[in-house]
Amino acid sequence: MKPYVLGIDIGGTNTVFGIVDARGVVIASNSIKTQKYHKFEDYLNELYTEAKKIIEANDAVDKIYGIGIGAPNANYYTGMIDTAANLPWETPLALADLVSKKFGIPVAITNDANAAAIGEMTYGAARGLKDFIMITLGTGVGSGIVINGQLVYGHDGYAGELGHLIVKRNNGRLCGCGRTGCLETYCSATGVARTAREFLEARTEASLLRNIPIEDITSKDVYDAAINGDKIAKEIFEYTGKILGEAMADMTVFSSPEAFIIFGGLAKSGELLLKPMREAMEKNMLPIFKGKAKVLLSELKEADAAVLGASALGWEAKTTPIPAATVAPATAVTV
Amino acid sequence: MKPYVLGIDIGGTNTVFGIVDARGVVIASNSIKTQKYHKFEDYLNELYTEAKKIIEANDAVDKIYGIGIGAPNANYYTGMIDTAANLPWETPLALADLVSKKFGIPVAITNDANAAAIGEMTYGAARGLKDFIMITLGTGVGSGIVINGQLVYGHDGYAGELGHLIVKRNNGRLCGCGRTGCLETYCSATGVARTAREFLEARTEASLLRNIPIEDITSKDVYDAAINGDKIAKEIFEYTGKILGEAMADMTVFSSPEAFIIFGGLAKSGELLLKPMREAMEKNMLPIFKGKAKVLLSELKEADAAVLGASALGWEAKTTPIPAATVAPATAVTV
């Protein structure tokens, strides 16, 4: 069996790619700007050229088992990106097919949160777990659900959008999805900043956060203020953690996971967020599930996580029956 | 392969059992009173005696492939009932093991809603579906979730308690589980009766329901009144359907099912319930899922459904690796 996979994480700003071995060691990695080319063909040419460089430099020609790609709204079943607000290319885009033809290597794709879950299961905190839920707390809230050791894609490939559970049925915040009250409007980095603005406007107490123009406050500012003992900032984390914990209790009645794995920028807030989250989760848990679900932090190094997550899917590129349309025969160009 | 399974549905009042063939035809069935014996051993003796009668009368001796049992809180993984308020026996009870030893046939058990889902997948409306959610609207709200063709048991065997999703975070109704605001306090038969009492107390309009002592109103009374054009009764179904539809939109972001299968007494309300439910589900759906999930009514005949659901699990009794403790070797008594 070929010893490496190529992981490609396509983000709105950067595309990071790396060669990864079976133990999750990133042998080499590099990145290109996602937004540089408006035509996908030009972008793919640069990606291929740059990836080829690290492949050749690391004696990995003909040693790449598969390519795994994490990208916004990428559909595992179809290999397509149907629509993605943050990417510059025309959609629908036959991503898996085009990349596979270019590299001559089988490709599997999924969205970034699912890729993170697979990465965690393959190399990280979820090794050995068959039932867990990965929650990524970044600009938005993403999720990857694993049941019976399998990622949950749903009948259409789009399952696992737990950031869009409705947590406030009335008077909820407007979400990017067009609805109101979604979990991610409260428990993402952006949500924390929104809570800060709401709290500061509704109250008159002094706060370190009042030194920052209110529209510029970020979740990092709230974290810094909380660490410095700021009362309002600490309450913002308690509010955020409580909503997240309540939602996790609801997620548990669905799939009764052995663990939740928390990942992403906000997870770095540590106990400021995790303590109220755990408390609210346990307090709201259906009795039969109380005290069972672990809360674990991701074990993937932040710098490598995106590539590792994507790469882990590369190991599935051959073994999983991807529809024929999405995987080109491994001929064409051999790298 | 042996041509029959024995399905046993253990309810709080009756235990129904039947011989079922591979196409879901109930060859013969009968029932005993669940509450008659306080010792499980005595209950099991009668169950065995009565089941043996129909087995012998139908020339099914040595033709039973497996036994499937649906019972409250029955755990598929352990074969145990750890606790069940509605059953008269001491718990924890090693149900699968004891029944298997008595009959000399492999046994698999699960809770009643999961059994219904397996029944629907094997013989009913979910044939050919790999991703669906069964919702049973009875005294409570039960659910069985199927993903990738597999029932979701979770890490502990208790997953799929969607009746306990919190749909009212504040001022929600007290649930039998000890928490407040659970889906089943609104969308079960009992929930409909509670809504009737709330609506009648809060309002002064005339209603056919005012002819019934308020504590005696049942969901059937509300149905009868609605069918007769009663305004408040129709609004009660709209209220119930809306809450259920909103919850189904939330369930969809989890597993993106191809269909919801609706089953149970309340499902017989038909469009009175289903119309507002579908509308609320679609209105609250994350855009990517809009217009995708079907809502189907169970195709199992009510009289046979419990036995069929339980029996379907019997086909898994040998093929699924049940922990050794729960399945006795097929020796002991041969029927």
Side-chain angles (χ1 to χ4, degrees), chain B residues 197 200 209-218 221:
Chain B
R197 287 194 281 279
L200 292 170
L209 295 169
R210 296 200 190 275
N211 301 327
I212 305 165
I214 196 160
E215 290 303 323
D216 296 344
I217 293 174
T218 65
D221 296 326

Side-chain angles (χ1 to χ4, degrees), chain B residues 224-259:
Chain B
D224 290 340
I227 288 293
N228 284 302
D230 189 79
K231 183 163 168 284
I232 288 190
K234 285 196 280 187
E235 283 179 30
I236 291 166
F237 276 107
E238 280 159 23
Y239 178 83
T240 309
K242 179 170 179 282
I243 292 174
L244 183 56
E246 287 170 352
M248 287 161 65
D250 267 356
M251 297 171 197
T252 304
V253 302
F254 203 103
S255 68
S256 187
E258 185 170 355

Side-chain angles (χ1 to χ4, degrees), chain B residues 1 12-13 15 54 56 70 83 110 163 177 180-181 185 193 200 203 205 246 260 271 275-276 304 318:
Chain B
M1 183 165 142
T13 308
T15 294
I54 64 168
E56 287 174 351
T83 167
T110 191
C177 75
T180 57
T185 67
L200 292 170
R203 295 161 64 161
E205 297 150 85
E246 287 170 352
F260 289 93
E271 287 303 306
K275 184 166 180 288
D304 292 340
K318 267 186 179 163

Side-chain angles (χ1 to χ4, degrees), chain A residues 9-174:
Chain A
D9 180 72
I10 304 180
T13 308
N14 294 307
T15 294
V16 187
F17 53 91
I19 304 166
V20 179
D21 73 12
R23 289 171 304 135
V25 176
V26 179
I27 307 290
S29 68
N30 203 347
S31 70
I32 63 171
K33 294 283 171 201
T34 305
Q35 300 285 343
K36 192 171 161 192
Y37 298 103
H38 287 274
K39 287 182 66 178
F40 181 75
E41 193 187 342
D42 297 332
Y43 163 85
L44 182 55
N45 282 334
E46 185 180 346
L47 177 64
Y48 177 72
T49 304
E50 294 302 318
K52 200 173 167 186
K53 282 182 195 164
I54 64 168
I55 289 169
E56 288 175 349
N58 288 277
D59 189 25
V61 177
D62 286 332
K63 293 180 183 168
I64 308 285
Y65 182 84
I67 296 173
I69 303 178
N73 290 11
N75 190 305
Y76 176 77
Y77 287 138
T78 64
M80 305 283 292
I81 295 180
D82 287 330
T83 167
N86 299 326
L87 298 179
W89 315 303
E90 261 185 50
T91 52
L93 176 71
L95 180 66
D97 194 26
L98 292 167
V99 174
S100 181
K101 281 189 174 133
K102 186 74 180 178
F103 283 81
I105 297 174
V107 170
I109 74 175
T110 191
N111 75 41
D112 21 6
N114 285 344
I118 296 173
E120 213 68 53
M121 185 162 54
T122 312
Y123 314 118
R127 270 174 300 180
L129 297 187
K130 293 184 72 181
D131 294 277
F132 70 94
I133 296 179
M134 175 99 189
I135 299 180
T136 65
L137 304 171
T139 312
V141 172
S143 66
I145 304 164
V146 171
I147 291 176
N148 278 343
Q150 301 171 337
L151 205 87
V152 174
Y153 292 108
H155 86 287
D156 61 353
Y158 291 116
E161 288 288 349
L162 299 182
H164 294 282
L165 281 175
I166 302 295
V167 295
K168 298 264 180 193
R169 190 63 65 184
N170 300 305
N171 294 315
R173 292 177 183 166
L174 183 62

